[in-house]
């Protein structure tokens, strides 16, 4: 009886502390929709939403973090992250200039999945774009609001989405663009536009970019991410959306 009298208050205190911690855990807002045409990462199809919606939903559930997706116009996403309107997004460090990679305002998770950007052009033009440096001082098709690590060295011509970039290439409004390898292959096929890849523009891994004020949550996110990798969940989601790149898109 003495033990019960001693244990019961401690147990109640533990429950109260746990409940208080749960109540005080922040509810996060995020965005992964990008341009809305960023297949396979985001599809704008509720039944098959894309790699990132599926992975981030599972990741936050595994980490026991409440997170809400906020729809934002592409051109505003960067500002909303910088201003703290959303708490995290998903990004590759290779997309960022060094100053942004080192910005103490953000912290980054362990890798989610690989991401490769390519230089894309019509077959008649692609031979002249076999190095990243071939873009410098040129007009280059880009997506409004996206990061490009070296965009101070070329002249951005912004379009609302990767789909619009592909259409602009086909109509010769631009000679060259930068796009994710799978996104470019997808829109090339969907729009029946023959394009080829030049040089690789960047290759890295997508990561959760979290506001540093939430650094206490990062260990939980990384632990949950490790579980999703080890269980094979992330690989299954990749395989669900990513198809082999057609051989005609790749140059020797």
């Amino acid at each position: 009886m003495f033990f019960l009298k001693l244990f019961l208050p401690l147990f109640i205190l533990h429950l109260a502390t746990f409940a208080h911690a749960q109540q005080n855990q922040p509810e996060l807002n995020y965005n992964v929709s990008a341009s809305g045409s960023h297949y396979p990462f985001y599809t704008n199809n509720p039944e098959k939403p894309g790699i990132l919606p599926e992975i981030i939903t599972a990741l936050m559930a595994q980490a026991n973090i409440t997170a809400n997706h906020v729809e934002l116009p592409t051109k505003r996403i960067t500002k909303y992250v910088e201003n703290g309107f959303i708490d995290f997004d998903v990004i590759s460090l290779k997309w960022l200039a060094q100053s942004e990679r080192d910005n103490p305002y953000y912290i980054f998770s362990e890798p989610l999945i690989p991401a490769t950007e390519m230089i894309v052009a019509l077959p008649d033009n692609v031979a002249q774009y076999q190095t990243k440096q071939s873009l410098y001082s040129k007009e280059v098709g880009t997506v409004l609001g996206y990061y490009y690590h070296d965009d101070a060295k070329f002249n951005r011509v912004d379009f609302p989405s990767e789909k619009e970039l592909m259409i602009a290439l086909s109509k010769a409004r631009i000679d060259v663009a930068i796009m994710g390898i799978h996104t470019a292959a997808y829109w090339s096929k969907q729009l029946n536009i023959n394009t080829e890849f030049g040089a690789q523009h960047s290759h890295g891994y997508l990561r959760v970019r979290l506001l540093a004020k939430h650094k206490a949550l990062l260990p939980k996110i990384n632990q949950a991410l490790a579980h999703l990798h080890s269980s094979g969940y992330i690989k299954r989601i990749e395989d669900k959306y990513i198809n082999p790149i057609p051989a005609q898109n790749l140059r020797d």
Side-chain angles (χ1 to χ4, degrees), residues 6 47 60 64 70 84 99 127 129 132 135 143 151 165 195 214 224 245:
L6 179 64
E47 295 183 3
M60 293 298 120
N64 195 28
V70 180
S99 59
Y129 296 111
K132 284 196 294 185
L135 297 179
V143 176
D151 63 2
L165 268 183
T195 59
H214 299 306
I245 302 298

Side-chain angles (χ1 to χ4, degrees), residues 106-179:
Y106 308 112
I107 51 177
F108 298 89
S109 75
E110 293 299 313
L112 276 70
I113 56 174
T116 301
E117 283 183 320
M118 301 296 293
I119 296 172
V120 185
L122 298 180
D124 289 346
N125 296 329
V126 75
Q128 60 185 301
Y129 296 111
Q130 297 305 305
T131 66
K132 284 196 294 185
Q133 292 74 20
S134 64
L135 297 179
Y136 295 171
S137 301
K138 304 283 182 59
E139 290 192 342
V140 179
T142 50
V143 176
L144 182 65
Y146 280 18
Y147 292 96
Y148 301 87
H149 68 273
D150 56 352
D151 63 2
K153 298 179 180 179
F154 57 79
N155 301 315
R156 292 180 62 146
V157 182
D158 283 336
F159 291 85
S161 69
E162 290 88 350
K163 180 180 179 181
E164 296 297 326
L165 268 183
M166 190 63 69
I167 293 170
L169 277 173
S170 72
K171 296 181 179 298
R173 294 173 185 164
I174 51 173
D175 289 335
V176 65
I178 299 170
M179 276 186 265

